[in-house]
Amino acid sequence: MPEHYIGRFAPSPTGPLHFGSLVCALGSYLDAVAHEGHWWVRMEDLDPPREMPGAAARILKSLDAHGLHGHGPVVWQSQRHGLYQSALDQLRQRGLVYPCTCTREQVRKAGGHRRDDCLGVRSLGERGTKEPQESYALRFACAGVTEKFSDIWQGEQTQPIGEDPILKRKDGLYAYQLAVVVDDIQQNVNCVVRGADLLDCTGVQRQLFLALGAEPPRFGHMPLVMNEGGQKLSKQNHAAPLDDATPSENLFQALRFLSFLPPAELVNEPPRQILSWASARWQRQQVDRRNRLLEQ
Ligand code: GLU
């Protein structure tokens, strides 16, 4: 485990960044820089059917316009399938991953675990190590465990894991839960700062770190920016894309959302100046952790 701080921002290219993503990118950048850490940008282009053409390039251009430069080359998940497969093989050899042909409904009815008559498991049993004939997912056996951890902003957490999560889907794609953990291990990430919408995934991810023989990082889940309808800003509910022509105003607003109050004249300065003002003043305890609307 490295002694110095290593963080990251890991967008999925399902659409352009919006103001809520800027808040997360900025929070994770400032937390890393204020701890004299390293900050990676990782493009989570793992799920082509959900991706929007051109979104990855647009996200990188937005980060650049806002002065949020990674401290190393951008890492692309689409180029790392070998790493994900070898982690799966490792887990499978240890009996922690099993093939499953069940639907979500069947798994739910079986209480989150494999069904005794799951075709995948049965055919494995019948034919030794042979793969099931029909398409199957690979699930991580961790349901029933209760994870406890302390989140930087959301405090003490108790998360019972209700269902064995899928690590490789029936369509052959590696699942987010697997890739995110394998990459965080491989990139030596020891502090994950991201949006509070991902808090519920954290228990499973911690279990996966441990199963892969790694110490889980520290987690900090940032407040979400909500819209008037009470939903978090997201690509799915068509949040407005960030306007790269006004990066200083955007950063200024994002800092205000995080409860930092930059002096008014800073809005006329380039992003570099705003980020340097903010990183010198970043205090975790100053961040208001409540999800809320952006006050104009
Ligand atoms: N790629 C994920 C997303 O855009 C975030 C992954 C993470 O930060 O753990 O929602």
Side-chain angles (χ1 to χ4, degrees), residues 15-207:
L17 295 183
H18 50 74
F19 184 75
S21 0
L22 178 66
V23 167
C24 292
L26 178 64
S28 91
Y29 174 88
L30 291 176
D31 202 58
V33 172
H35 288 91
E36 295 174 2
H38 184 96
W39 189 67
W40 293 108
V41 174
R42 184 168 74 224
M43 192 55 68
E44 302 212 308
D45 55 343
L46 200 62
D47 191 349
R50 284 190 57 227
E51 283 159 27
M52 176 192 273
R58 192 157 167 198
I59 289 172
L60 295 178
K61 199 164 151 276
S62 275
L63 290 174
D64 210 46
H66 290 79
L68 297 167
H69 310 294
H71 299 152
V74 175
V75 166
W76 296 77
Q77 287 192 329
S78 54
Q79 295 170 8
R80 295 159 74 82
H81 290 183
L83 280 175
Y84 310 141
Q85 190 55 50
S86 56
L88 267 183
D89 293 343
Q90 190 186 323
L91 293 168
R92 209 165 160 182
Q93 271 160 17
R94 296 179 45 217
L96 295 172
V97 154
Y98 63 92
C100 175
T101 52
C102 302
T103 60
R104 296 186 84 171
E105 184 59 13
Q106 288 172 322
V107 171
R108 199 184 54 74
K109 281 197 182 137
H113 303 261
R114 68 188 90 193
R115 291 182 306 145
D116 288 342
D117 61 343
C118 168
L119 250 178
V121 175
R122 208 175 57 204
S123 54
L124 258 195
E126 281 165 5
R127 295 198 299 268
T129 53
K130 275 209 188 123
E131 305 293 316
Q133 291 302 300
E134 68 181 276
S135 63
Y136 60 91
L138 288 174
R139 287 187 185 267
F140 173 40
C142 63
V145 172
T146 295
E147 260 295 336
K148 290 186 184 216
F149 61 95
S150 175
D151 185 90
I152 297 171
W153 288 287
Q154 310 299 329
E156 297 307 314
Q157 302 295 313
T158 301
Q159 289 188 357
I161 300 176
E163 183 178 314
D164 288 341
I166 289 179
L167 299 188
K168 194 173 185 184
R169 298 179 354 197
K170 280 187 185 170
D171 59 9
L173 294 178
Y174 297 100
Y176 154 70
Q177 299 278 35
L178 175 72
V180 80
V181 171
V182 170
D183 284 336
D184 283 341
I185 294 173
Q186 198 274 335
Q187 295 186 279
N188 291 317
V189 169
N190 54 15
C191 194
V192 170
V193 171
R194 59 187 180 185
D197 51 331
L198 293 167
L199 182 63
D200 290 348
C201 302
T202 308
V204 163
Q205 290 174 11
R206 282 177 49 89
Q207 278 297 304

